Amino acid sequence: MTAVLPDRAERVAAAPAAEHRGPGGFAWIGLCAALIAGAPIGALGILALQGNAAHWLHLATAVVPYALHETAVLLGGVTVFVVVVGTGTAWLVTAYAFPGRRMLEVALLLPLAFPAYVMAYAWIDLMHPIGPLQSGLRALLGIERPAELRLPDLRSLPGAVLVFGLALYPYVYVAARAAFLARMTTLTEAARTLGAGPGRVFGRVALPLAWPAIAAGTSLVLMETLNDVGAAEFLGVTTLTTTVYSTWVNRSDLAGAAQIALAMLAIVLALVLAERTARGARSFAVGGGAQRALPPRRVDGIAGLGLLALGALVVALGFGLPTGHLAWQAALRLAEGHGGATLLPAIGNTLLVAVLATVAAVLTGLVLVEGRRLHPGSRLHAAVLRVATSGYAVPGTVLAVGLLVVLGGFDRAARAVVEFAGGAPTGLLVSASIGAVVLAYVVRFVRLAATQVETGLERIPPTLDQSARSLGRTPAGVMSAIHLPLLRASLAGAALLVFVDCMKELPATLLLRPLNFDTLATLLYGEAARGTYEDGAIAALLIVAIGLVPVAVLVRLGRPPATLEARP
């Protein structure tokens, strides 16, 4: 027996030697994941070069400038909205104590459950000339004809700014509130002691200190806005994303779509660079002992109720009114027995692709992060983790175009091989398939899983790894015997976040799904595209209801969501 099992000294000596045998299983899996994530971007570049020069000239002079202008105005307007509303509401519930503040802290998170395209659908129906808001207002004023009283049309750039802002301000709210709570108690108290009023404390102390967090939240909002295709199309705004979609689907110009997609990617990279520059130029270190929560200023009476009403107005516009309208429309459709024939298959399809993608994304994220943890100092593992998780920064439309090029090439190669061997011509094996949709989800959302695993691993002391390795455990053995049992909660959280994001994803699903394959998101998009918004109410309500699950978890955990921690 002693001849078979080496003693402890031999095992310790053997463990480092194993590191020099070349890339192990973690590295090979990581390299494959990085290759799959990077291939669509490389394919976009090759495809863009194959485009017709005359057609690209037409796109560059007649299509892109208008889309670029609308996109820039939309991003600028949304930036102002989310910074003002997100930062303002965060300061409201942090710096002041008033009746209902605890309830408002949670309620301000609720719009996180709304994808922007669902918010757009609900508000378009609410604001229709014969919808409940305008009809109720005319009844209140004694006006009978809709032409005699018309509110501003929501299908416009200002309307799009309002809808995107209401759906996405929580990203800034969460980031700013965390910064207000954690970083500035001492300085704020000092400012108050020196006689600074609330406005001066906010403008001269709180806002500059929280700016890096606000910039991080805003950059995520802008990437979500740039990624959206449904809300922009419903609201009649021609963004670069909708232009990619129409160039590909309506004009059958995949090369032109690739060229516009690369322009979008350049904008995303510019946003990431700007966000990092903004954070880097304003990094602060507040030392001097443990940080304490900022003591809020008590506000009672009419003034306190006014603060509550101010925050409640944001919640009502961002969650209460659209949710109530969806619930009402869904109840009407259910009472009529409407929607079962298309809704049930859509629910099944949504669960199928979301579950498959969640399992694949969580396993991939686990292997990537474990590879870096178990091989500290390895540049290879650090590089593959960064590349393989970069898909979160790529808009779904751009990713779908790149994946179609790669998967289409695979289909052509498979067909050529089969025909060379004398077989019957094959159809589309992987492009426009369920596998393509799942692959797009995994590439886009593996970052969420990796972030959760990283957070969980940070709570496990590295000394446990070193002890296990010194006792002869392989990296895979350390992961299975020590890390996995301690990571169960983190893995469950990762699965939850990835599942919900997969369920809501519209652009990639719309472009890569098989024929007659609808998820809840594409079913709602189809109803809205046909102008039958109300028939998609049940699907929209289901999307919002499932989206409330991570919000509830966020409230329970009392910390920012993983999407805010994910760095491209």
Side-chain angles (χ1 to χ4, degrees):
M1 190 69 174
T2 53
V4 175
L5 295 177
D7 59 21
R8 183 174 184 279
E10 291 173 327
R11 292 196 296 267
V12 172
E19 306 287 348
H20 301 289
R21 292 174 186 169
F26 288 98
W28 284 116
I29 295 175
L31 285 169
C32 290
L35 181 63
I36 292 172
I41 305 303
L44 273 179
I46 297 172
L47 182 64
L49 293 175
Q50 296 173 356
N52 183 294
H55 203 170
W56 169 240
L57 185 62
H58 166 72
L59 290 174
T61 55
V63 178
V64 173
Y66 181 75
L68 195 59
H69 172 262
E70 296 249 305
T71 303
V73 174
L74 178 63
L75 293 181
V78 171
T79 298
V80 173
F81 189 102
V82 298
V83 168
V84 171
V85 175
T87 308
T89 50
W91 183 249
L92 181 70
V93 297
T94 304
Y96 299 97
F98 50 86
R101 180 177 72 110
R102 294 293 183 190
M103 182 179 63
L104 189 61
E105 285 177 355
V106 176
L108 285 166
L109 292 170
L110 292 177
L112 277 175
F114 264 96
Y117 58 85
V118 176
M119 182 78 77
Y121 151 74
W123 269 107
I124 286 175
D125 215 29
L126 272 169
M127 291 288 290
H128 194 276
I130 57 173
L133 283 183
Q134 297 206 47
S135 298
L137 185 59
R138 285 194 298 271
L140 187 66
L141 299 176
I143 299 173
E144 295 184 356
R145 297 177 55 202
E148 295 176 358
L149 177 64
R150 294 288 293 270
L151 295 180
D153 192 358
L154 203 64
R155 295 171 184 268
S156 61
L157 265 173
V161 169
L162 176 67
V163 169
F164 277 103
L166 288 173
L168 299 174
Y169 82 83
Y171 286 92
V172 176
Y173 166 76
V174 172
R177 179 161 162 71
F180 289 151
L181 284 171
R183 296 184 180 177
M184 59 200 65
T185 304
T186 306
L187 293 177
T188 303
E189 287 179 338
R192 286 176 177 175
T193 304
L194 293 172
R200 195 173 178 84
V201 168
F202 176 74
R204 299 295 296 273
V205 179
L207 191 59
L209 286 172
W211 181 250
I214 295 170
T218 304
S219 71
L220 286 172
V221 168
L222 297 183
M223 282 191 278
E224 290 287 336
T225 305
L226 200 58
N227 177 57
D228 180 89
V229 65
E233 193 166 317
F234 297 167
L235 296 165
V237 178
T238 305
T239 63
L240 286 172
T241 309
T242 59
T243 304
V244 171
Y245 181 72
S246 62
T247 302
W248 179 3
V249 176
N250 300 333
R251 300 177 187 142
S252 301
D253 183 4
L254 190 55
Q259 291 164 343
I260 301 172
L262 284 179
M264 282 182 60
L265 196 59
I267 292 177
V268 170
L269 294 176
L271 289 174
V272 173
L273 183 62
E275 182 264 335
R276 289 183 176 176
T277 303
R279 285 195 301 152
R282 290 183 177 238
S283 59
F284 300 95
V286 181
Q291 296 299 308
R292 295 175 289 108
L294 180 68
R297 185 185 294 268
R298 187 75 200 174
V299 181
D300 293 314
I302 298 298
L305 293 176
L307 293 181
L308 175 63
L310 193 61
L313 176 64
V314 177
V315 178
L317 296 176
F319 186 80
L321 279 175
T323 303
H325 181 66
L326 289 179
W328 176 51
Q329 289 292 341
L332 290 178
R333 295 300 175 276
L334 287 174
E336 297 169 357
H338 182 82
T342 55
L343 190 62
L344 291 179
I347 293 174
N349 294 337
T350 303
L351 293 176
L352 174 65
V353 291
V355 168
L356 290 175
T358 298
V359 172
V362 171
L363 289 178
T364 305
L366 174 67
V367 171
L368 289 169
V369 176
E370 285 282 357
R372 194 181 67 169
R373 164 73 176 241
L374 295 168
H375 300 83
S378 169
R379 293 181 179 179
L380 175 63
H381 286 280
V384 296
L385 175 61
R386 179 175 288 275
V387 174
T389 57
S390 62
Y392 190 69
V394 180
T397 312
V398 175
L399 187 62
V401 175
L403 274 177
L404 187 72
V405 176
V406 176
L407 299 180
F410 178 86
D411 281 341
R412 287 192 295 274
R415 185 168 58 245
V417 170
V418 171
E419 290 179 356
F420 180 77
T426 60
L428 298 177
L429 296 177
V430 289
S431 56
S433 68
I434 293 176
V437 176
V438 171
L439 183 61
Y441 289 175
V442 174
V443 173
R444 181 149 164 69
F445 299 123
V446 69
R447 178 68 212 180
L448 299 181
T451 301
Q452 289 295 304
V453 176
E454 282 179 326
T455 304
L457 280 178
E458 287 172 358
R459 302 191 186 104
I460 302 175
T463 51
L464 290 180
D465 303 12
Q466 296 161 6
S467 299
R469 293 301 305 276
S470 68
L471 292 172
R473 289 281 188 178
T474 62
V478 175
M479 183 181 77
S480 62
I482 298 176
H483 291 171
L484 285 183
L486 298 174
L487 282 175
R488 281 179 295 187
S490 298
L491 292 174
L496 175 66
L497 289 168
V498 174
F499 177 83
V500 173
D501 269 33
C502 290
M503 189 205 65
K504 295 190 296 185
E505 172 65 21
L506 177 62
T509 316
L510 207 57
L511 294 172
L512 293 172
R513 64 181 170 147
L515 194 63
N516 297 324
F517 182 89
D518 270 321
T519 64
L520 288 173
T522 61
L523 180 68
L524 174 61
Y525 176 86
E527 296 290 359
R530 288 188 288 272
T532 53
Y533 300 106
E534 55 281 353
D535 289 341
I538 303 174
L541 195 62
L542 284 173
I543 293 172
V544 174
I546 298 174
L548 283 172
V549 176
V551 177
V553 174
L554 169 63
V555 171
R556 184 177 178 81
L557 295 178
R559 64 185 188 81
T563 47
L564 292 181
E565 299 167 354
R567 309 305 319 150

